[in-house]
Amino acid sequence: MDTTVERTVTLGSTSGLHARPAALFVQQARTYQSQITLRKGERAADGKSILSVLALGAQKGDQVTLQINGSDAATALDTLAHLLEGGQA
Amino acid sequence: MGHIHILAPLDGTVLPLEDVPDEVFAQKMVGDGLAIDPGGQVALAPLSGHLVRLFRSGHAFGIGAPGGVELLVHLGLDTVELEGTGFERLAVEGQMVQAGTPIVRFDRAIIAAAGKSLLTPVVSSGSGTIVQRASGVVRAGRDTLFTLKL
């Protein structure tokens, strides 16, 4: 059954969402069936596209909103939110 | 179905991505591509498209082109930590670029003195499969680094 879940997190990574954390985030995002959107202000990125995520230009301390829609939305949300806050992404 | 020739964005010697001492690139987490050990001082756009992201620190940029094509050029490893030292942006994020448009000027001596490797992964993070790869020495904006088949 498809669910839509959303959570706003504060980015923990020291240098923001640069290539390494973006790559780790996208690699994880791609393992889920659900559609994953990352929003910063008015900009939205496809969580499964590295260039799209990098285009957000998110810095440390920025608030980003994860919006996930699909059958594994809840699992995806917990893991991805953790990645973003914990500084691994 | 078409083919896109991705030009070498830098002068230098080609290396396989697997040889880059950074697992994010070596394991192709960002995508497939090649790396260049640069000999020059300017990074050019490897294809025509939209300069979707140019980091303020100048150490990396990404270009998007029709068909879901995405190319990422990451000047050096862990160079985000330099916060711009040794890099000078020559283009503006969001602008359209042609293949060969200068994007960043970099100073190899300053970057090396800061203890950073200048090995530069050039990676396709979007559509397409790489069907042909260069090896040996390449010239920025002149030689094809690899060809993408869409």
Side-chain angles (χ1 to χ4, degrees), chain B residues 45-134:
Chain B
L47 77 169
S48 299
H50 178 208
L51 186 61
V52 171
R53 183 84 175 107
L54 170 57
F55 281 83
R56 198 166 51 224
S57 50
H59 76 284
F61 58 91
I63 294 175
V69 171
E70 298 181 353
L71 259 294
L72 201 64
V73 178
H74 198 287
L75 297 168
L77 305 177
D78 290 327
T79 36
V80 63
E81 294 166 13
L82 296 180
E83 295 183 342
T85 303
F87 296 96
E88 182 192 345
R89 286 171 295 158
L90 302 174
V92 175
E93 181 175 276
Q95 72 170 89
M96 295 304 291
V97 294
Q98 296 294 311
T101 301
I103 309 292
V104 175
R105 182 181 292 125
F106 56 94
D107 187 315
R108 293 202 319 278
I110 290 179
I111 295 164
K116 297 301 179 192
S117 163
L118 252 179
L119 286 183
T120 294
V122 180
V123 177
S124 166
S125 60
S127 306
T129 346
I130 297 181
V131 293
Q132 201 182 315
R133 293 165 203 263

